[in-house]
């Protein structure tokens, strides 16, 4: 399913936050549960030890005073009355599990020492009467079962006699944490029995606390997620507002308003850089569109001239009822010449389109990448135009390269031959009779350069920047209907040569010379074994 970036950002934010909150809630709940359990275990363990220490101290003090225990468990009960152990239940038994003393918070009576007024004394007396009316304290079955289990483990050697056993037991009113400690009498006090002290702490308060925490977490997580979703949605929408503006503005740009640009609010953030890149792209598209439009207009102009001539000759020939064979021949020669020119323009346009489309030949095939000897290529090109040069009384000179210098480039031999033929043809069109055209090849620093120099009138400075543009005729004027030079080109020769050079990784430059025109072709050489690092 396709979703918007705004929705995806919101969902991702909510999902990540949900994972974090659930993980935190689980960790917090687990940690709190462990802390509560450890605290309860510590309380009952230390309380059992405190009771044991107090009983031993009471026994020693009674022995020092010479007191004799008249009632069994009297000392232990006195200790429980005086010792403050909070809300814990304390049960003291002998090893036969006979209850000797017990303390339960709801059965604790206030002492006369705590009564500082007659009302307090009366309240203490009424508490004794209520306690007397209550049933006797009974050792809970869960505590008795704990004592039996611990005794079995000690007899089996799994537990030592002095260790404190802390476990959870289930009472009638709920779970509780229990600590069981065995207290041995002093060595010189053989009359006192060994005691089993059990400290119980009910867990109802802890369970209530954990339940409240879980309830708070249960309601807090959805609320936090809801707030996060709303805040994330608003924040994402605000952050993506420039992107929406970019989309709306870009969708309104057509071929009719390619000069329009996007507003760059902040050029240093991602959306600002995106807007700047789109503006640069629109600039390049606009330049290409204008170039294409100019190219179409120029091509239409160049094609219109020969077509108009062919149509005019045909109309004139057909308008007259009778014509001589010589007149027909003259008209057909004009039509043939313009047809050849028209065919050459179409072929040149087709070649340019193919090269611009990705380095392809005019037959739709990819450029060949063969090893081509530049000197042989120049020799063959000069041989092809020598008869035309002789007819114009123009001398062709090819300087020999330095001996031992390899002039091998990688490319399509046919296209490279076309490149140099176009340069020679351009030079022959402007070279006066009795002048010379010189080709100077030179190789070095990974490049092969060939200079084609003529002794013609040269190229005016105001036209040098546009000399490689398509349909630029240089110093010649465009032909007009009725005054046609059939040898004149369409202004595509240098443009084709430059396109071929660029398709081979090179370039053509017009050099600044005092006389004539000199074009320099630069092509990358094929690395030889000596050039490898």
């Amino acid at each position: 399913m396709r979703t918007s970036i705004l929705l995806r950002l919101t969902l991702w934010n909510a999902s990540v936050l949900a994972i974090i909150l659930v993980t935190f809630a689980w960790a917090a709940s687990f940690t709190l549960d462990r802390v509560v359990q450890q605290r309860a275990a510590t309380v009952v363990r230390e309380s059992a030890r405190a009771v044991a220490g107090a009983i031993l101290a009471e026994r020693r003090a009674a022995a020092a005073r010479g007191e004799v225990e008249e009632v069994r468990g009297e000392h232990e009960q006195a200790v429980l009355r005086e010792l403050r152990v909070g809300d814990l239940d304390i049960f003291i038994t002998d090893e036969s599990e006979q209850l000797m003393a017990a303390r339960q918070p709801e059965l604790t009576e206030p002492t006369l020492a705590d009564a500082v007024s007659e009302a307090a004394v009366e309240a203490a007396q009424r508490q004794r009467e209520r306690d007397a009316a209550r049933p006797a304290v009974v050792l809970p079955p869960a505590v008795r079962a704990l004592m039996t289990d611990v005794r079995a483990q000690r007899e089996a050697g799994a537990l030592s006699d002095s260790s404190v056993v802390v476990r959870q037991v289930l009472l009638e009113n709920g779970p509780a944490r229990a600590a069981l400690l065995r207290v041995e009498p002093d060595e010189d006090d053989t009359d006192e029995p060994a005691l089993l002290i059990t400290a119980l702490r009910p867990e109802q308060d802890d369970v209530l606390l954990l339940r409240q925490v879980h309830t708070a977490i249960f309601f807090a997580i959805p609320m936090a997620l809801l707030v996060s979703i709303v805040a994330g949605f608003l924040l994402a929408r605000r952050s993506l507002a420039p992107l929406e503006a970019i989309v709306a503005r870009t969708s309104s740009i057509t071929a009719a308003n390619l000069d329009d640009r996007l507003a760059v609010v902040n050029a240093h953030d991602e959306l600002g850089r995106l807007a700047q890149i789109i503006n640069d792209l629109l600039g390049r598209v606009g330049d290409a569109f204008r170039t294409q439009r100019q190219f179409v207009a120029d091509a239409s102009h160049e094609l219109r001239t020969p077509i108009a001539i062919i149509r005019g000759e045909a109309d004139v020939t057909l308008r007259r009822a009778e014509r001589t064979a010589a007149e027909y021949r003259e008209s057909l020669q004009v039509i043939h010449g313009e047809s050849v020119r028209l065919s050459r323009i179409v072929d040149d346009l087709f070649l340019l389109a193919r090269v611009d489309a990705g380095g392809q030949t005019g037959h739709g095939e990819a450029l060949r990448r063969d090893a081509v000897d530049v000197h042989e290529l120049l020799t063959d090109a000069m041989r092809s135009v020598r008869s035309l040069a002789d007819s114009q009384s123009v001398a062709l000179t090819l300087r020999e390269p330095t001996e031992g210098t390899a002039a091998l480039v990688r490319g399509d031999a046919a296209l490279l031959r076309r490149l140099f033929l176009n340069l020679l043809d351009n030079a022959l069109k402007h070279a006066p009779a009795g002048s010379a055209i010189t080709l100077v090849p030179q190789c070095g620093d990974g490049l092969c350069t060939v200079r084609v120099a003529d002794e013609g009138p040269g190229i005016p400075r105001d036209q040098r920047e546009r000399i490689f543009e398509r349909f630029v005729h240089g110093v010649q004027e465009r032909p007009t209907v009725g005054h046609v030079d059939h040898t004149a080109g369409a202004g595509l020769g240098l443009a084709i040569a430059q396109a071929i050079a660029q398709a081979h990784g090179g370039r053509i430059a017009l050099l600044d010379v005092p006389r004539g025109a000199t074009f320099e072709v630069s092509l990358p050489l094929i690395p030889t074994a000596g050039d490898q690092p």
Side-chain angles (χ1 to χ4, degrees):
M1 181 179 64
R2 296 182 178 180
T3 57
S4 64
I5 295 178
L6 178 60
L7 180 58
R8 278 181 285 174
L9 287 176
T10 304
L11 292 178
W12 271 107
N13 174 66
S15 301
V16 172
L17 182 61
I19 294 174
I20 294 175
L21 288 178
V22 171
T23 303
F24 174 78
W26 176 84
S29 177
F30 177 78
T31 303
L32 181 61
D33 185 64
R34 292 293 300 273
V35 169
V36 169
Q37 292 180 10
Q38 291 176 0
R39 186 190 66 174
T42 302
V43 169
V44 294
R45 182 188 302 110
E46 297 304 322
S47 297
R49 288 174 175 169
V51 171
I55 290 174
L56 291 178
E58 179 63 22
R59 285 181 175 180
R60 295 189 189 100
R65 292 192 301 268
E67 297 178 359
V68 178
E69 190 176 33
E70 298 179 356
V71 180
R72 185 171 181 267
E74 182 180 2
H75 294 162
E76 289 76 7
Q77 192 65 45
V79 169
L80 295 181
R81 281 197 303 268
E82 298 296 331
L83 192 63
R84 297 182 180 274
V85 289
D87 59 347
L88 272 65
D89 295 342
I90 306 295
F91 299 96
I92 302 175
T93 65
D94 56 14
E95 290 190 304
S96 61
E97 301 179 4
Q98 293 298 316
L99 187 63
M100 298 176 60
R103 177 192 181 278
Q104 291 179 295
E106 65 273 13
L107 300 179
T108 303
E109 59 181 32
T111 62
L112 293 178
D114 295 331
V116 295
S117 63
E118 293 183 1
V121 174
E122 293 177 359
Q125 184 63 33
R126 288 194 298 271
Q127 181 65 36
R128 292 192 192 94
E129 294 174 357
R130 287 194 297 268
D131 293 344
R134 289 194 181 112
V137 178
V138 179
L139 188 66
V143 176
R144 194 177 298 277
L146 175 63
M147 292 179 177
T148 303
D149 184 42
V150 171
R151 182 188 302 110
Q153 292 186 15
R154 283 174 175 165
E155 291 174 355
L159 292 174
S160 63
D161 292 341
S162 60
S163 60
V164 181
V165 179
V166 180
R167 293 182 185 177
Q168 187 182 47
V169 296
L170 185 61
L171 304 178
E172 294 180 357
N173 58 347
R177 188 68 55 177
L180 180 61
L181 173 63
R182 186 174 186 274
V183 179
E184 294 286 347
D186 292 336
E187 295 180 357
D188 55 352
D189 191 3
T190 57
D191 296 335
E192 297 291 344
L195 301 178
L196 295 177
I197 301 175
T198 304
L200 283 177
R201 183 178 185 274
E203 295 184 338
Q204 286 88 344
D205 293 340
D206 295 341
V207 172
L208 180 60
L209 172 64
L210 293 176
R211 185 179 296 121
Q212 291 174 345
V213 171
H214 294 164
T215 302
I217 291 175
F218 180 79
F219 286 102
I221 289 179
M223 291 298 297
L225 281 178
L226 180 61
V227 172
S228 173
I229 290 174
V230 174
F233 178 83
L234 296 177
L235 181 61
R237 186 173 67 175
R238 177 165 183 160
S239 300
L240 294 177
L243 184 60
E244 292 290 341
I246 290 174
V247 172
R249 184 59 178 160
T250 304
S251 61
S252 67
I253 296 177
T254 62
N257 58 343
L258 282 176
D259 292 332
D260 292 351
R261 294 294 181 266
L262 304 178
V264 180
V265 179
N266 184 4
H268 301 289
D269 63 6
E270 291 77 2
L271 294 179
R273 290 196 295 270
L274 174 62
Q276 187 62 49
I277 290 174
I278 294 178
N279 285 339
D280 296 341
L281 175 62
L282 289 174
R284 293 192 296 270
V285 171
D287 294 341
F289 190 78
R290 283 188 291 270
T291 301
Q292 182 187 25
R293 187 159 45 192
Q294 183 64 37
F295 178 79
V296 172
D298 292 340
S300 300
H301 181 86
E302 292 296 332
L303 293 174
R304 183 177 61 182
T305 300
I307 290 175
I309 294 174
I310 292 173
R311 181 177 178 180
E313 286 293 329
D315 289 342
V316 171
T317 302
L318 294 174
R319 193 176 300 122
R320 296 177 59 179
E322 295 182 1
R323 297 194 68 174
T324 63
E327 291 175 336
Y328 277 114
R329 180 178 296 278
E330 182 181 357
S331 296
L332 290 175
Q333 286 177 347
V334 172
I335 292 174
H336 177 267
E338 292 303 320
S339 299
V340 171
R341 182 183 175 205
L342 183 62
S343 177
R344 185 169 62 248
I345 292 175
V346 172
D347 290 341
D348 289 346
L349 291 174
F350 190 65
L351 176 60
L352 277 174
R354 289 294 185 177
V355 173
D356 290 343
Q360 294 184 337
T361 66
H363 302 289
E365 301 175 355
L367 284 178
R368 299 173 62 88
R369 296 295 178 181
D370 302 325
V372 180
D373 190 317
V374 176
H375 188 265
E376 293 181 1
L377 202 64
L378 295 176
T379 302
D380 181 64
M382 289 185 61
R383 188 182 301 114
S384 298
V385 300
R386 186 169 296 280
S387 58
L388 180 61
D390 292 342
S391 66
Q392 297 180 206
S393 300
V394 176
L396 297 178
T397 303
L398 173 61
R399 293 186 183 178
E400 296 295 329
T402 305
E403 186 176 355
T405 302
L408 295 178
V409 297
R410 192 170 298 282
D412 191 308
L415 287 181
L416 291 175
R417 182 176 181 273
R418 176 69 179 273
L419 183 157
F420 291 113
L421 281 177
N422 283 5
L423 292 178
L424 289 172
D425 180 69
N426 180 77
L428 285 171
K429 288 179 182 178
H430 300 89
S435 64
I437 297 176
T438 306
L439 283 76
V440 183
Q442 186 176 359
C443 299
D445 297 331
L447 286 177
C448 177
T449 61
V450 178
R451 293 186 179 182
V452 181
D454 63 65
E455 299 175 355
I459 300 175
R461 292 189 177 274
D462 59 344
Q463 297 184 13
R464 291 187 178 185
E465 293 183 357
R466 302 182 62 245
I467 195 64
F468 293 106
E469 296 181 9
R470 297 164 188 185
F471 302 106
V472 174
H473 291 265
V475 296
Q476 293 184 350
E477 299 292 335
R478 291 183 183 273
T480 59
V481 179
H483 299 81
V484 179
D485 180 5
H486 297 293
T487 63
L492 292 174
L494 293 179
I496 291 175
Q498 184 71 284
I500 293 174
Q502 292 175 352
H504 287 78
R507 67 180 184 89
I508 302 177
L510 175 61
L511 303 183
D512 189 7
V513 293
R515 181 185 178 186
T518 300
F519 291 90
E520 183 181 71
V521 182
S522 300
L523 296 171
L525 287 170
I526 298 177
T528 59
D531 296 332
Q532 300 297 329

